[in-house]
Amino acid sequence: MRYAVFGTGVVGRTISAKLASLGNEVVIGTRDPAATLARTEPDAMGTPPFATWSAAHPTVELLSFAEAATLGERVVNATAGTVTLAVLSAAGSANLAGKILIDIANPLDPSLGMPPPLNPVNTDSLGEQIQRAFPGALVVKTLNTMNCRLMVEPGRVSGAHNVFVSGEDTGAKKQVTEMLVSFGWPESSVIDLGGIETARGAEMLLPIWLRLYSALGHTDFNFHVQGAR
């Protein structure tokens, strides 16, 4: 399977590395590949520059969003929620049509204060906005409720815990579930919440996630919103 992952941050890198390790062809999309590779300083969270990660993962090519979307049979959105729609527009509606678009982003808006609140929230969701803007894509919301290391290594949390999927297309959700199983999630742990409007609930788990993150005083911990374990 060929995957196009949008987003060069730690989440996009983690998902890309896992997919590649499973034998998939993976490309990562960014606005300006040359500029991304030219950065030499860590980001605000101390994450090493993308070029460092890229050197350790030579099979994962860095392309523009449109180029990546053209090559990918499936697309993973791991961008910041505030720029997701712009990124997908840059990728091109025609390049997304008919493809499963796995949305793992959250609509956190730091311009509204800290910790960043959700925007939209309650009566809408980022997942729904994506589906409305790109009706030809098969949008499936999943994995947005946890630390990225847990996304690809669910065994980091002991005992039973769950991951959610939301989307309009049953076949697309089945294929995404198969991807999750390949990551190590037992099929029985995958809960189908229903249509894409149920992404509202999954996204609204983020406020408690953020407050636990702060209250526990950790810069990195493994947490699943089915319970802090």
Side-chain angles (χ1 to χ4, degrees):
M1 184 63 64
R2 294 194 307 276
Y3 283 88
V5 178
F6 293 166
T8 58
V10 66
V11 179
R13 298 180 198 186
T14 301
I15 293 291
S16 296
K18 183 65 173 184
L19 288 168
S21 75
L22 294 171
N24 298 289
E25 296 179 45
V26 183
V27 295
I28 294 183
T30 189
R31 282 190 180 83
D32 185 337
T36 298
L37 289 170
R39 296 188 186 106
T40 59
E41 298 298 323
D43 66 15
M45 298 296 292
T47 305
F50 183 81
T52 301
W53 182 90
S54 182
H57 300 83
T59 65
V60 180
E61 188 176 3
L62 184 67
L63 302 171
S64 71
F65 291 126
E67 291 170 330
T70 298
L71 290 175
E73 297 172 284
R74 294 179 185 171
V75 175
V76 179
N77 174 42
T79 64
T82 52
V83 301
T84 286
L85 294 179
V87 165
L88 295 176
S89 293
S93 295
N95 293 329
L96 301 174
K99 297 180 179 180
I100 295 174
L101 199 170
I102 304 163
D103 176 34
I104 63 177
N106 284 297
L108 297 170
D109 190 347
S111 72
L112 299 177
M114 295 298 287
L118 297 173
N119 181 27
V121 66
N122 195 38
T123 57
D124 200 3
S125 65
L126 180 60
E128 290 171 273
Q129 288 187 338
I130 295 170
Q131 188 64 86
R132 287 197 301 270
F134 304 93
L138 307 175
V139 180
V140 178
K141 187 84 180 190
T142 192
L143 290 174
N144 68 298
T145 57
M146 65 193 76
N147 177 282
C148 62
R149 291 199 291 169
L150 185 56
M151 293 178 188
V152 301
E153 197 179 346
R156 296 179 69 89
V157 171
S158 62
H161 49 291
N162 300 97
V163 60
F164 311 122
V165 293
S166 299
E168 296 301 313
D169 189 276
T170 301
K173 288 188 286 188
K174 183 176 185 297
Q175 291 183 61
V176 172
T177 296
E178 291 170 355
M179 182 197 76
L180 295 172
V181 170
S182 76
F183 285 2
W185 290 92
E187 188 169 0
S188 61
S189 72
V190 183
I191 298 178
D192 184 348
L193 296 179
I196 193 61
E197 78 282 354
T198 63
R200 300 175 192 180
E203 291 178 7
M204 283 193 285
L205 290 169
L206 264 291
I208 186 63
W209 197 104
L210 290 173
R211 281 151 182 82
L212 277 168
Y213 190 98
S214 175
L216 295 176
H218 297 291
T219 57
D220 185 20
F221 65 95
N222 297 301
F223 167 77
H224 193 288
V225 294
Q226 285 298 98
R229 301 165 190 250

